[in-house]
Amino acid sequence: MKNHSRRGFVKTMVNGGMSLGILSSLSFTGKKPKVNLPVIREVDICVLGGSCTGVFASVRAARLGAKVAIVEKQNAFGGVATNSLVNIWHSIYDTEFKQQIIAGLTVETMERLETRQMVKKTERNESRAFTFNSQELKIELDELVVESGIIPYFHTLFSEPVIDEDGRLTGVIVDNKSGRGIIRAKYFIDATGDGDLCSRLNLQTYTHTLLQPPTTCAHIDGWNGNEFNTLLKQHGKEFNIPDGFVWGSDIPGTQNSMLAGTRVYNYNCAEADDLTRAEIEGRRQIRAIMDMMRQYGTAKIGLTALPSYIGIRETRHVKCLYRVSDDDASYGRRFDDAIANGSYRLDLHHQDKPGLTFRYLDGTQVYSRPGYPGQKSRWREETATNPTFYQIPLRSLIPPKIPNLMAAGRMLDASIIAFSGIRVMVNMNQVGEAAGVTSYLALNQNIPVSKVDPGKVREELKKGGSIVI
């Protein structure tokens, strides 16, 4: 692992009430030019990032009574589930399908889509529980945010944190069509995925030596998955298509399919240049797949949609009060401050060879590669009983030093193997809800988030419909 240090945070004293902030920032020359910025909003809690993690954090805090603003750089909420086209949410049951372990806003949102016949349920399936229409989910999340009284900002980029003379985080500088301005808040939730706010506060971050590669998904008409697997094995190298892992699904309410068949290796999408190159390479791979299928396949296929953002699995992680270890996840450790449960297998996306390895809680594992039979083995000896789910502790979302900040999403503190499972959306949904509840309780008591009683968080989550174990 290596630590990353970003540019220094901004020292700011905001004067003049709601209308004006005086910014003192470091320039590259070391000078401190004065810049006047308007305070465009004052709220209790500001959430950066409009993925489902960020939306669910906002909703839980707003439902408890907080005044919440959510800032999203794109034109829609949902993150990977919408803008990256990944329309599968995994099982809400344990590995044996005997005990429901996830509820809350994950289930509520799917129930809302179900009334429109825009979600398909799959029973007793380790790979999927809900297959939904990503475009319909965008609208549903809009309605959820508006109903909750949350103040939304689309097409708005977070730029810098605002720190007062006492070293307290008091606001964030954002840029949008109306110009630059400051959103002031008492508490902040970094749900950017890449930990952008935490990084620009110079908090300790790290990246794993093996980053799980991103995937560019696509909507395709006339897709034939079985034929693709055969052709990839025969002709993939001819079209420079990486031999990774392929999956996909139908899209409810349409005749199209979603394909997740690309692998963009050796890019860290928390870095601007890498993110740009990864987007271009991902789309190149989609075109290569289409060209291969058209040249050698039998079905007539058409490309109908590309994502507005590459599907990122992992970039930087934020050092928090606790790091979820590989053993914590692999052996299903229980935590007194558990705020999320998950049963998705641990999937190791290899950089040094094609395909990936699925590690299961029962001690088995399968190496999977498109067009080849799975190779089964064990990662630990067989035992009489096995864990059936793992947990995420609240401590893994709380960075030290900044008392009014939480890190919610895939930037949470976790080791390589543990992260490969807990990163999936149904788990991050719960992380978002916990961050919203914790921030509200801190706000209500005027205390640092680290001082909030985890028992109270769990109690409030349960009241709001979450399953707490």
Side-chain angles (χ1 to χ4, degrees):
M1 298 182 294
K2 63 180 180 178
N3 293 330
H4 287 275
S5 176
R6 296 297 297 258
R7 51 187 155 169
F9 55 72
V10 180
K11 288 269 188 178
T12 301
M13 184 186 298
V14 178
N15 298 316
M18 288 290 290
S19 62
L20 186 65
I22 306 300
L23 173 68
S24 175
S25 64
L26 294 175
S27 71
F28 291 111
T29 63
K31 298 179 181 179
K32 296 181 179 180
K34 295 286 185 178
V35 180
N36 294 335
L37 290 178
V39 176
I40 60 177
R41 187 74 67 171
E42 288 196 8
V43 294
D44 294 324
I45 299 171
C46 178
V47 179
L48 293 182
S51 64
C52 288
T53 304
V55 169
F56 290 178
S58 302
V59 170
R60 291 301 290 259
R63 286 180 176 178
L64 288 170
K67 183 178 181 181
V68 182
I70 184 169
V71 176
E72 168 54 39
K73 62 188 175 184
Q74 297 209 70
N75 74 335
F77 295 121
V80 170
T82 57
N83 297 319
S84 301
L85 307 182
V86 183
N87 68 328
I88 296 291
W89 280 358
H90 296 293
S91 175
I92 59 175
Y93 287 85
D94 67 1
T95 57
E96 297 177 348
F97 304 101
K98 293 179 180 178
Q99 179 182 8
Q100 186 174 346
I101 60 173
I102 300 172
L105 286 169
T106 294
V107 172
E108 179 182 331
T109 303
M110 290 298 99
E111 288 176 345
R112 291 167 69 114
L113 282 182
E114 191 174 17
T115 63
R116 298 178 177 277
Q117 293 81 50
M118 289 299 152
V119 63
K120 176 184 176 182
K121 292 183 179 180
T122 304
E123 303 292 337
R124 301 180 66 85
N125 188 302
E126 64 188 16
S127 297
R128 67 187 67 200
F130 304 101
T131 304
F132 51 84
N133 185 308
S134 291
Q135 307 312 309
E136 293 279 353
L137 178 59
K138 287 181 181 179
I139 304 171
E140 204 62 53
L141 293 173
D142 284 346
E143 294 189 357
L144 189 58
V145 166
V146 172
E147 289 170 8
S148 301
I150 297 163
I151 303 164
Y153 287 92
F154 284 139
H155 299 292
T156 300
L157 293 172
F158 159 67
S159 177
E160 296 286 352
V162 177
I163 306 295
D164 68 15
E165 60 183 355
D166 296 321
R168 182 178 174 84
L169 176 62
T170 61
V172 290
I173 299 172
V174 297
D175 292 81
N176 59 24
K177 286 291 186 180
S178 298
R180 299 190 89 204
I182 298 171
I183 298 176
R184 296 177 62 179
K186 300 179 179 71
Y187 291 84
F188 297 83
I189 297 173
D190 185 342
T192 60
D194 301 314
D196 290 336
L197 175 56
C198 293
S199 177
R200 294 181 188 188
L201 283 164
N202 271 352
L203 295 179
Q204 184 179 348
T205 65
Y206 62 92
T207 57
H208 290 137
T209 53
L210 176 65
L211 281 178
Q212 296 204 6
T215 290
T216 299
C217 297
H219 288 176
I220 298 175
D221 182 39
W223 181 253
N224 186 322
N226 291 330
E227 187 172 64
F228 170 78
N229 285 332
T230 300
L231 295 179
L232 180 63
K233 185 176 180 181
Q234 296 173 347
H235 303 287
K237 290 183 179 180
E238 178 184 344
F239 292 86
N240 193 21
I241 302 171
D243 189 0
F245 181 78
V246 180
W247 63 278
S249 67
D250 295 334
I251 304 171
T254 77
Q255 300 299 312
N256 290 344
S257 298
M258 187 280 291
L259 169 70
T262 68
R263 283 294 181 275
V264 182
Y265 293 110
N266 302 314
Y267 291 108
N268 178 3
C269 292
E271 303 293 339
D273 289 347
D274 275 11
L275 177 58
T276 297
R277 288 192 289 263
E279 293 279 17
I280 293 171
E281 170 60 17
R283 288 192 285 268
R284 183 205 66 79
Q285 290 183 27
I286 291 294
R287 170 162 282 185
I289 288 170
M290 299 297 293
D291 288 345
M292 181 185 72
M293 295 292 284
R294 287 166 175 154
Q295 181 169 337
Y296 294 108
T298 60
K300 182 179 180 180
I301 62 172
L303 180 62
T304 58
L306 287 169
S308 61
Y309 204 79
I310 192 170
I312 301 173
R313 292 182 175 86
E314 180 180 19
T315 55
R316 66 169 71 96
H317 296 268
V318 178
K319 178 68 173 65
C320 292
L321 299 180
Y322 183 82
R323 180 169 300 172
V324 184
S325 72
D326 294 339
D327 282 353
D328 288 341
S330 298
Y331 292 91
R333 180 184 174 189
R334 298 291 175 264
F335 295 96
D336 291 339
D337 63 339
I339 46 78
N341 311 302
S343 62
Y344 179 70
R345 62 216 174 182
L346 310 178
D347 62 358
L348 309 179
H349 291 254
H350 304 293
Q351 292 274 16
D352 56 345
K353 61 181 180 180
L356 53 79
T357 297
F358 293 114
R359 174 182 284 194
Y360 297 89
L361 297 183
D362 65 1
T364 62
Q365 64 182 15
V366 178
Y367 172 59
S368 181
R369 180 182 177 189
Y372 296 84
Q375 300 176 21
K376 298 181 180 180
S377 59
R378 297 195 64 87
W379 62 268
R380 66 166 170 81
E381 294 181 358
E382 190 171 358
T383 55
T385 60
N386 300 298
T388 59
F389 63 95
Y390 45 77
Q391 295 188 313
I392 302 173
L394 180 62
R395 288 166 287 167
S396 64
L397 318 180
I398 302 175
K401 298 183 180 180
I402 307 296
N404 57 340
L405 172 66
M406 297 194 71
R410 57 180 167 79
M411 82 288 283
L412 87 173
D413 202 350
S415 297
I416 293 178
I417 296 174
F419 178 75
S420 71
I422 64 178
R423 66 172 175 80
V424 298
M425 286 185 279
V426 289
N427 297 337
M428 294 301 99
N429 292 350
Q430 298 170 83
V431 164
E433 294 182 71
V437 168
T438 305
S439 296
Y440 169 80
L441 292 175
L443 169 76
N444 193 45
Q445 300 172 66
N446 192 27
I447 59 175
V449 291
S450 62
K451 300 298 183 182
V452 174
D453 181 356
K456 296 293 185 183
V457 176
R458 286 162 54 85
E459 181 182 323
E460 205 62 62
L461 284 169
K462 189 173 182 179
K463 287 180 183 177
S466 300
I467 291 178
V468 176
I469 301 172

